[in-house]
Amino acid sequence: MNTSLQSTATAIARTLMVVVFLLSGLSKIGSTDAIAGYMEVMGVPSLLLWPTIAFEIGSAALIILGFHTRITAILLAGFSLVTAIVFHHQFSDQTQLIMFLKNIAMTGGFLLLACTGPGLLSIDARRSAA
C-alpha cells in the first residue's frame, strides 16, 4: 500500500473507530434523565453523566483530528473495557453479550492505535515534523 493511501486509510479508520463515542455522547445530551437513571441502576453514580458525555465527545474529536492520539487511545481502551464489564455483563442476554464483545474488540483496536499512532494525516504528525 502506498504512503498516501495508507495515510488516508488510517485517518478514515481513526474516524470510524470513534464515531460510536461521538454519537453516544451527543445522544446522551438529549436523554440525560433516562441515562442517569440507567447509570444508577447499574451502580454508577449519575454525577458521572456529564463527565462521560464530555469524555466521549472530546476523545472522539481528539482521535478524529489525530491530536494526542496515543494517550487518548489508551484512555478509550480503558473506558471500553470498564464499560463492557460494568454495563454488559449479563451474558445470558445475547444482545448484552454482543455489546460486551464489541467493547472488547474496541479495546483491542484502541490498543493497536496507541501502538501504531495516528498516521501522517494528523495533528500529531504535523507537530512532530515541525
Side-chain angles (χ1 to χ4, degrees), residues 6-28:
Q6 185 174 359
S7 297
T8 302
T10 302
I12 291 169
R14 283 195 332 260
T15 301
L16 293 174
M17 289 176 68
V18 295
V19 73
V20 67
F21 292 98
L22 181 62
L23 295 177
S24 178
L26 292 172
S27 72
K28 283 177 176 71

Side-chain angles (χ1 to χ4, degrees), residues 7-69:
S7 297
T8 302
T10 302
I12 291 169
R14 283 195 332 260
T15 301
L16 293 174
M17 289 176 68
V18 295
V19 73
V20 67
F21 292 98
L22 181 62
L23 295 177
S24 178
L26 292 172
S27 72
K28 283 177 176 71
I29 294 170
S31 56
T32 55
D33 290 340
I35 300 296
Y38 178 66
M39 290 172 72
E40 291 286 343
V41 166
M42 299 306 288
V44 177
S46 61
L47 66 96
L48 294 177
L49 175 59
W50 284 104
T52 299
I53 291 169
F55 176 76
E56 288 180 336
I57 295 170
S59 62
L62 290 172
I63 294 291
I64 291 167
L65 295 170
F67 186 61
H68 296 295
T69 306

Side-chain angles (χ1 to χ4, degrees), residues 55 62-63 67-77 114 124:
F55 176 76
L62 290 172
I63 294 291
F67 186 61
H68 296 295
T69 306
R70 291 177 192 266
I71 188 68
T72 305
I74 290 169
L75 293 172
L76 281 165
D124 289 343

Side-chain angles (χ1 to χ4, degrees), residues 94-110:
Q94 186 174 10
T95 300
Q96 290 301 315
L97 176 60
I98 291 168
M99 297 292 281
F100 178 85
L101 294 173
K102 171 205 50 112
N103 280 41
I104 296 303
M106 289 171 25
T107 299
F110 287 122

